[in-house]
Amino acid sequence: MVNLTIDGQAIRTRRGMTILEAARQVGIDIPTFCYDPDLRPVGSCRICVVEVDGWRTLAAACVTPVTEGMVVRTDSPAVIEARQVILELMLANHPLDCLTCEKAGACKLQEYCYRYGVKDSRFKGAKYHYPVNDPNPFIERDYNKCIMCTRCVRVCEDVVNVGAVNVQNRGHHAKIAAAFDSHLADSPCVFCGNCVMVCPTGALTSKVSAGRARTWDVEKKILTTCPYCGTGCTLELNVKDNKVVGVTSNRSPGKSPVNQGYLCVKGRFGWDFINSPDRLTDPLIKEDGKFRKATWKEAIDLIAAKFKELKTNYGGDALVGLSSARITNEENYLMQKFVRVVLGTNNVDHCARL
């Protein structure tokens, strides 16, 4: 164990922990862009710099391990000035279109500029202008808003194990790109959207949710389980005007025990069918080649009569029960029990083979 002081608070923590981790243990907030607890630390953005007594330079809190007797200041004048300069450098190459940005209200750059009073950048010079033209249906890639934190690169490599994107070029021309600067559809990308989840700015956003609601528009978030397969991933349904307008991850400890907030393409983007006008809202019975609306009792009575007729005329093996991976185990159990006992056949199958 190691004893140190952060902003006047005496802290005892385990050896090998970083200053950032030790500060968070006692509720001291140090801003971060490139840091994510699930990803390997790189210390590249430097917004987390702190002042350590006896050190000649400021230290990046996310990669600096604690030492015995260390005295740390996270909000000294030197620290605040350094963070302001870092934010100005980022704004020098960042579009100030917060009024129309999908990430407004949930953007770390916006949050920290507000915290430290940074309204514009004194640093002028060449700006990059990247086209926003990736035709995939799920992820909007606007790298004009990228701050090169490389979270998307690391989550794709370290968690998803795909490696669809990486840093291309160096210096002013450095940017995140798929191989040969191609579209995501031409890369190994599986469109899980976990890069969207970890992106701290509006560089990566959901096309499916675009224009439906921003952070402050969401009236409630409903923690639920994804219905697409049997894994049991937890997700949050974002609701506005009693309609689902998006899916986000809940990475709070204990909230997503199966998936820790990570999702696949279906869980993160396959929700827009919920409010589709094409969904059936009433049972339909076909008569004279046309469908008509019916009551539930009428429809169920007709199904029962047809089952009886087929079983009487052709035997139970003329019937088959096809079940779904998108209902509960209990419902699937009842389904196969009904087919075996009531219909009198072992012709039962399931759609779990994806």
Side-chain angles (χ1 to χ4, degrees):
M1 302 298 289
V2 170
N3 297 288
L4 71 154
T5 302
I6 302 180
D7 291 345
Q9 290 193 51
I11 301 171
R12 181 173 174 81
T13 188
R14 61 176 176 81
R15 189 178 303 277
M17 185 173 282
T18 64
I19 295 174
L20 177 65
E21 292 170 326
R24 288 186 171 183
Q25 274 190 337
V26 294
I28 296 174
D29 180 38
I30 298 176
T32 61
F33 283 124
C34 67
Y35 173 80
D36 186 283
D38 291 347
L39 308 179
R40 65 182 186 276
V42 293
S44 61
C45 73
R46 317 308 283 187
I47 196 70
C48 69
V49 291
V50 295
E51 190 172 9
V52 181
D53 282 8
W55 290 32
R56 292 187 300 109
T57 59
L58 300 178
C62 69
V63 291
T64 304
V66 296
T67 58
E68 181 64 36
M70 179 181 273
V71 178
V72 180
R73 294 176 178 83
T74 69
D75 58 355
S76 67
V79 167
I80 292 173
E81 182 183 5
R83 290 176 184 166
Q84 289 171 331
V85 171
I86 290 166
L87 291 169
E88 284 192 61
L89 288 167
M90 290 181 175
L91 289 185
N93 227 341
H94 194 92
L96 301 178
D97 60 351
C98 300
L99 290 175
T100 56
C101 181
E102 286 290 329
K103 204 65 176 284
C107 171
K108 287 293 184 182
L109 182 60
Q110 186 186 59
E111 176 187 337
Y112 296 151
C113 284
Y114 182 81
R115 181 187 298 186
Y116 294 106
V118 177
K119 299 178 180 179
D120 202 353
S121 176
R122 78 190 96 162
F123 304 108
K124 308 298 179 183
K127 281 193 172 187
Y128 43 63
H129 298 281
Y130 298 129
V132 184
N133 63 353
D134 196 306
N136 80 82
F138 304 115
I139 300 173
E140 185 76 88
R141 304 166 72 201
D142 186 352
Y143 287 136
N144 298 293
K145 300 176 182 178
C146 177
I147 58 172
M148 295 299 293
C149 69
T150 70
R151 278 196 194 184
C152 58
V153 174
R154 286 174 286 143
V155 76
C156 198
E157 289 181 354
D158 299 351
V159 179
V160 187
N161 294 314
V162 169
V165 293
N166 212 321
V167 180
Q168 181 188 59
N169 303 325
R170 291 294 180 266
H172 177 72
H173 301 289
K175 70 170 185 174
I176 308 298
F180 308 108
D181 204 9
S182 60
H183 298 313
L184 284 182
D186 300 320
S187 76
C189 178
V190 294
F191 295 103
C192 62
N194 291 312
C195 56
V196 176
M197 176 184 73
V198 300
C199 180
T201 68
L204 297 171
T205 56
S206 167
K207 286 184 178 180
V208 184
S209 301
R212 296 174 185 259
R214 294 197 289 191
T215 300
W216 56 80
D217 293 320
V218 175
E219 295 165 359
K220 58 182 176 180
K221 292 189 175 185
I222 300 173
L223 196 68
T224 186
T225 303
C226 177
Y228 271 108
C229 77
T231 301
C233 295
T234 304
L235 52 78
E236 284 181 332
L237 296 177
N238 293 210
V239 178
K240 177 189 176 185
D241 298 331
N242 207 32
K243 290 185 177 180
V244 175
V245 294
V247 161
T248 50
S249 298
N250 191 318
R251 303 177 73 192
S252 303
K255 292 295 186 180
S256 301
V258 173
N259 57 316
Q260 308 302 318
Y262 296 98
L263 295 168
C264 77
V265 60
K266 293 179 290 184
R268 193 174 300 280
F269 299 115
W271 51 266
D272 53 342
F273 68 90
I274 297 172
N275 300 315
S276 170
D278 297 328
R279 292 192 71 175
L280 295 178
T281 55
D282 297 283
L284 302 178
I285 292 177
K286 196 176 221 181
E287 292 177 347
D288 300 324
K290 293 183 179 180
F291 283 108
R292 67 166 178 85
K293 287 185 179 181
T295 65
W296 281 104
K297 183 179 187 310
E298 185 182 7
I300 292 172
D301 287 346
L302 176 62
I303 293 168
K306 291 290 185 180
F307 277 156
K308 284 182 179 180
E309 180 184 336
L310 289 169
K311 184 178 178 181
T312 299
N313 293 338
Y314 305 103
D317 284 339
L319 300 165
V320 61
L322 298 176
S323 194
S324 172
R326 301 181 189 179
I327 60 177
T328 66
N329 288 338
E330 291 78 10
E331 289 167 327
N332 272 318
Y333 175 82
L334 291 173
M335 173 68 175
Q336 64 87 28
K337 200 72 172 177
F338 169 77
V339 173
R340 297 183 201 276
V341 176
V342 179
L343 300 185
T345 179
N346 288 324
N347 294 338
V348 181
D349 204 358
H350 195 272
C351 72
R353 296 179 299 280
L354 302 178

